[in-house]
Amino acid sequence: MSSSISISRVNRVYTDTDGNTVNALADVSLDIKAGEFISIIGPSGCGKTTLLRLIAGLDKPQSGELSIDERTIKDVSTERGYVFQQGGLFPWLTVEKNIAYGLKARGVFKRDRSKVSEYISLVGLDGFESAYPHQISGGMAQRVAIARALINEPKALLLDEPMGALDSFTRADLQDKLIELWKQKGTTMILVTHDIDEAIYLSDRIVIMTPRPGKISSIVNVDLPRPRHRGGGEFLALRKSILEFFELAQAQPQPEYII
């Protein structure tokens, strides 16, 4: 089960610790189809995580509207799962109990406790049920975080650079697991990443944001067949075009000469 998400003319302004006004997002509009895999990329500080937090209901815009299935997003909800960059696991709970936490918070653990073993298997962690976060690798910890978010069967899964701190081999493995889960569950997925290859490998569309104030400057359709090959000609051509866009987007404007 998945949901469509609509973002309409959203603006978000902060005041920093020095009292300065920070324009994080300016007039952002985006429609995401149910079951779509979207990646959001852009330079550091462009508002990618701010936008994700607004979709999650962890923050509110100054103006504009965000909705899911035509219902205004007003607060956090289990229909939108959130995976943080560092996973955010509870260090005092085992793998099994971390994954079960969402069910307990909703008061449905007794009814749905069989789902815990199902999701442990889904993310490939059979045999690690009793392990604590400090006893497993970073990649395994992120799998636990994804399972914990998915066990509530959210209509949308929001991923805030969940693979950013992983080595390249672990990252590639987790990317494949994420695609596998997306295909099995059909959940709408929105990923914030700095990795262009990751965005191309995973996404149906890539949303490119400008430096602050964050605006959507371009949306790239990724019309490559799955499974995708990182060394394939079409993949590399798309990667090159996105890299060229960023070089142009970040270049200093040239002076104009009037004769």
Side-chain angles (χ1 to χ4, degrees), residues 200 203 221-229 234-236 238:
I200 297 171
S203 311
N221 293 314
V222 186
D223 298 320
L224 303 181
R226 300 179 189 272
R228 292 173 181 164
H229 302 286
E234 291 179 304
F235 190 104
L236 294 174
L238 185 55

Side-chain angles (χ1 to χ4, degrees), residues 30 32 36-40 189-191 203-205 207:
L30 177 67
I32 300 169
E36 194 171 17
F37 201 127
I38 293 285
S39 285
I40 303 173
M189 293 200 179
I190 306 172
L191 169 71
S203 311
D204 294 317
R205 290 189 295 160
V207 176

Side-chain angles (χ1 to χ4, degrees), residues 148-239:
R148 186 177 63 181
L150 282 174
I151 199 169
N152 286 321
E153 298 186 351
K155 295 180 178 180
L157 184 63
L158 312 177
L159 301 136
D160 190 4
E161 295 192 68
M163 296 164 276
L166 304 178
D167 64 81
S168 58
F169 294 105
T170 305
R171 189 176 191 132
D173 178 63
L174 191 54
Q175 287 169 359
D176 287 335
K177 179 55 68 175
L178 198 56
I179 285 290
E180 183 183 329
L181 291 169
W182 173 63
K183 287 180 177 178
Q184 286 186 37
K185 296 296 180 181
T187 308
T188 304
M189 293 200 179
I190 306 172
L191 169 71
V192 163
T193 180
H194 279 98
D195 189 323
I196 292 172
D197 285 18
E198 182 169 87
I200 297 171
Y201 188 72
L202 294 173
S203 311
D204 294 317
R205 290 189 295 160
I206 300 171
V207 176
I208 302 175
M209 297 188 68
T210 66
R212 185 180 294 162
K215 300 178 181 180
I216 294 175
S217 61
S218 183
I219 299 177
V220 177
N221 293 314
V222 186
D223 298 320
L224 303 181
R226 300 179 189 272
R228 292 173 181 164
H229 302 286
R230 293 177 176 85
E234 291 179 304
F235 190 104
L236 294 174
L238 185 55
R239 180 178 186 270

